[in-house]
């Protein structure tokens, strides 16, 4: 089987920020041979909300032993370190960096590159992000299905090299607060909530110059936070500002020979930290159903691709749509989207997560390989695909 990957980025310089890999994503990455040690990942054992002004603890939720409860740990990891480890796993594949796909034809099965050349395939996996070009091709006759609405929220993002902080006494004062957690510093005194998430700081070669205007705006907005935090914000070499839009679940993820995955299929807000993990689940499901890692080991013919894409969507769309809806609300506000969640209950009428405890069990405890087995069993009239790999 020939495989080509067209990636518009050249991956030059350090981009992105921290990613939380939860057990549902870790399960897939480990199955693929991903080395969390090489990727310099840090384990997380609890979440904590801290008053950003007084530094008093507002709410702390321990995860006990994630390995025991979910079969896998939680990690924080820098996006670039994660990408580099994934690229090492892709060694030997035909990965073409700096190659942008401009359009596609789902029925004929080809993509058109920016230089005008066509590339034909039996299966086209569109992982082209929140501003997906190929999403419109899949949703050709469903106008409005991909519209985004402003959430009224935006996020400042920055990464601080450890070398900038090692001599900073305020940084060392904050370290005991964080411990082995993912911290959210919250301002509960204002009607409009302001949060600052502290997921992790590690060694970096980041050299970008700061956007002083954005940095000044951030310091003005969060200037009433604790002085130790303000000193930390001042160390940020580069500050970016991302507007957060709300995307509703799509009615379908595939048409013809094109299937959407990741942000192309289910763009999410960062509340819940599941965007990357859902993309990883997508990859795990595709691989398993098409005979790859964790799957049947049986090769799928070109004629079978439409059938297996329908199975993939059956395994993934309702699940990812629930997580996507939950991403619109912060922890503890799950009931705000209850009516929407129930539309995507699987099976219909079953329970949906309506509290933080139910939410993280719903997100972290999911085993995408077991779901694929369930879908295949139903497709085969109750017969278990005996050579489907066991994954815990």
């Amino acid at each position: 089987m020939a495989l080509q990957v067209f990636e518009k980025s050249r991956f030059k310089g350090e981009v992105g920020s921290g990613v939380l890999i939860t057990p549902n994503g870790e399960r897939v990455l480990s199955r693929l041979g991903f080395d969390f040690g090489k990727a310099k990942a840090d384990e997380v054992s609890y979440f904590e909300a801290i008053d950003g002004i007084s530094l008093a603890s507002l709410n702390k939720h321990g995860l006990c032993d994630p390995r025991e409860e979910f079969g896998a740990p939680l990690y924080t990891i820098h996006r670039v370190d994660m990408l580099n480890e994934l690229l090492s796993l892709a060694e030997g594949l035909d990965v073409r960096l700096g190659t942008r796909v401009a359009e596609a034809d789902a029925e004929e099965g080809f993509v058109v590159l920016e230089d005008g050349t066509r590339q034909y395939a039996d299966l086209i996996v569109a992982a082209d992000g929140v501003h997906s070009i190929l999403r419109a091709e899949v949703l050709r006759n469903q106008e409005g299905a991909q519209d985004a609405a402003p959430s009224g929220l935006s996020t400042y993002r920055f990464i601080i090299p450890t070398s900038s902080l090692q001599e900073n006494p305020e940084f060392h004062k904050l370290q005991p607060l964080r411990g082995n957690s993912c911290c959210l510093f919250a301002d509960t005194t204002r009607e409009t909530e302001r949060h600052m998430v502290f997921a992790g700081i590690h060694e970096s070669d980041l050299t970008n110059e700061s956007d002083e205007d954005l940095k000044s705006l951030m310091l003005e907005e969060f200037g009433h936070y604790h002085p130790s935090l303000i000193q930390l914000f001042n160390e940020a070499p580069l500050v970016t500002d991302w507007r957060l839009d709300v995307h509703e679940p799509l009615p379908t993820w595939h048409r013809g020979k094109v299937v959407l995955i990741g942000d192309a299929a289910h763009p999410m807000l960062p509340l819940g930290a599941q965007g990357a993990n859902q993309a990883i689940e997508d990859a795990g499901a595709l691989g398993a159903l098409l005979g790859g890692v964790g799957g049947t080991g049986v090769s799928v013919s070109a004629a079978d691709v439409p059938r297996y894409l329908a199975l993939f969507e059956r395994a993934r769309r309702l699940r990812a749509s629930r997580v996507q809806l939950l991403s619109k609300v912060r922890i503890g506000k799950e009931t705000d989207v209850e009516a929407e969640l129930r539309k995507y209950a699987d099976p219909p009428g079953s329970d949906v997560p309506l509290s933080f405890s139910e939410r993280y069990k719903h997100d972290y405890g999911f085993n995408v390989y077991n779901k694929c087995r369930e879908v295949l069993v139903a497709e085969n009239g109750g017969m278990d695909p005996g050579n489907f790999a066991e994954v815990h």
Side-chain angles (χ1 to χ4, degrees):
M1 177 180 66
L3 175 68
Q4 292 178 310
V5 179
F6 302 113
E7 168 58 56
K8 67 179 180 181
S9 172
R10 295 186 182 276
F11 299 137
K12 290 184 177 180
E14 194 152 15
V15 295
S17 58
V19 178
L20 180 66
I21 300 298
T22 50
N24 49 307
E26 192 277 351
R27 187 174 290 112
V28 176
L29 290 177
S30 290
R31 188 75 181 180
L32 294 173
F34 187 94
D35 190 324
F36 285 89
K38 288 182 180 178
K40 297 177 281 188
D42 290 324
E43 280 201 44
V44 175
S45 59
Y46 64 93
F47 297 101
E48 185 168 17
I50 297 172
D51 189 304
I53 301 168
S54 68
L55 299 187
S57 179
L58 298 173
N59 186 23
K60 183 175 180 178
H61 189 94
L63 295 170
C64 300
D65 185 350
R67 285 184 172 85
E68 183 176 334
E69 188 171 2
F70 303 115
L74 284 81
Y75 291 105
T76 55
I77 183 171
H78 189 274
R79 194 178 301 269
V80 174
D81 294 328
M82 179 177 172
L83 176 62
N84 288 337
E85 177 60 12
L86 288 172
L87 283 172
S88 74
L89 293 176
E91 188 175 352
L93 296 180
D94 184 3
V95 180
R96 304 186 187 186
L97 301 181
T99 305
R100 181 177 175 274
V101 173
E103 58 183 286
D105 188 308
E107 298 302 331
E108 294 296 322
F110 65 81
V111 297
V112 180
L113 303 183
E114 197 168 32
D115 63 6
T117 59
R118 290 186 179 187
Q119 299 285 339
Y120 287 82
D122 296 323
L123 171 62
I124 299 168
V125 180
D128 54 342
V130 65
H131 302 297
S132 172
I133 298 296
L134 274 63
R135 188 190 297 132
E137 175 65 14
V138 170
L139 301 173
R140 185 178 56 181
N141 299 318
Q142 302 180 61
E143 291 185 13
Q146 59 175 324
D147 290 348
S151 68
L153 303 172
S154 63
T155 177
Y156 294 112
R157 301 178 71 174
F158 59 88
I159 302 168
I160 306 175
T162 301
S163 58
S164 300
L165 298 173
Q166 287 175 335
E167 304 301 322
N168 188 322
E170 301 302 324
F171 169 68
H172 292 286
K173 289 179 185 177
L174 291 170
Q175 280 295 85
L177 283 176
R178 178 179 178 250
N180 198 29
S181 74
C182 184
C183 291
L184 181 148
F185 293 97
D187 175 6
T188 61
T189 64
R190 301 188 180 189
E191 184 176 344
T192 303
E193 295 181 4
R194 288 171 172 78
H195 297 156
M196 181 67 69
V197 177
F198 181 7
I201 298 173
H202 68 94
E203 291 185 8
S204 167
D205 295 322
L206 186 67
T207 57
N208 296 27
E209 295 297 321
S210 174
D211 183 327
E212 290 298 335
D213 289 338
L214 281 177
K215 188 171 180 178
S216 297
L217 287 171
M218 181 184 73
L219 289 169
E220 180 180 347
E221 187 166 352
F222 289 90
H224 60 296
Y225 267 41
H226 192 278
S228 294
L229 289 171
I230 298 302
Q231 282 216 19
L232 222 61
F233 303 163
N234 272 308
E235 295 287 346
L238 175 68
V239 177
T240 59
D241 185 20
W242 288 28
R243 192 183 82 174
L244 303 179
D245 290 335
V246 174
H247 297 257
E248 298 302 325
L250 298 181
T252 185
W253 290 4
H254 78 284
R255 187 173 72 83
K257 297 180 180 180
V258 176
V259 62
L260 306 173
I261 68 169
D263 281 349
H266 41 73
M268 300 186 188
L269 270 68
L271 306 176
Q274 277 296 304
N277 291 284
Q278 291 308 301
I280 293 167
E281 283 187 20
D282 291 344
L286 265 184
L289 291 170
L290 296 176
V293 177
T296 62
V298 177
S299 296
V300 174
S301 69
D304 287 332
V305 165
R307 171 174 170 246
Y308 278 88
L309 291 186
L311 292 176
F312 166 76
E313 190 165 319
R314 196 183 307 169
R316 293 294 303 136
R317 191 175 67 84
L318 294 179
R319 149 77 175 171
S321 294
R322 292 193 303 275
V323 178
Q324 184 180 12
L325 289 169
L326 286 166
S327 79
K328 297 197 296 185
V329 295
R330 67 174 177 82
I331 290 169
K333 296 288 188 179
E334 290 78 13
T335 55
D336 289 358
V337 291
E338 178 179 359
E340 296 172 271
L341 287 171
R342 294 200 181 280
K343 297 176 185 177
Y344 298 93
D346 185 18
S350 59
D351 292 338
V352 294
L354 299 176
S355 67
F356 173 54
S357 177
E358 293 175 358
R359 178 177 183 166
Y360 85 77
K361 289 176 182 176
H362 169 273
D363 291 354
Y364 302 173
F366 185 79
N367 187 320
V368 71
Y369 295 111
N370 288 348
K371 182 63 179 179
C372 289
R373 175 190 287 274
E374 176 188 312
V375 167
L376 285 172
V377 168
E379 178 73 3
N380 294 335
M383 294 181 61
D384 194 313
N387 55 344
F388 197 91
E390 290 286 350
V391 181
H392 302 288

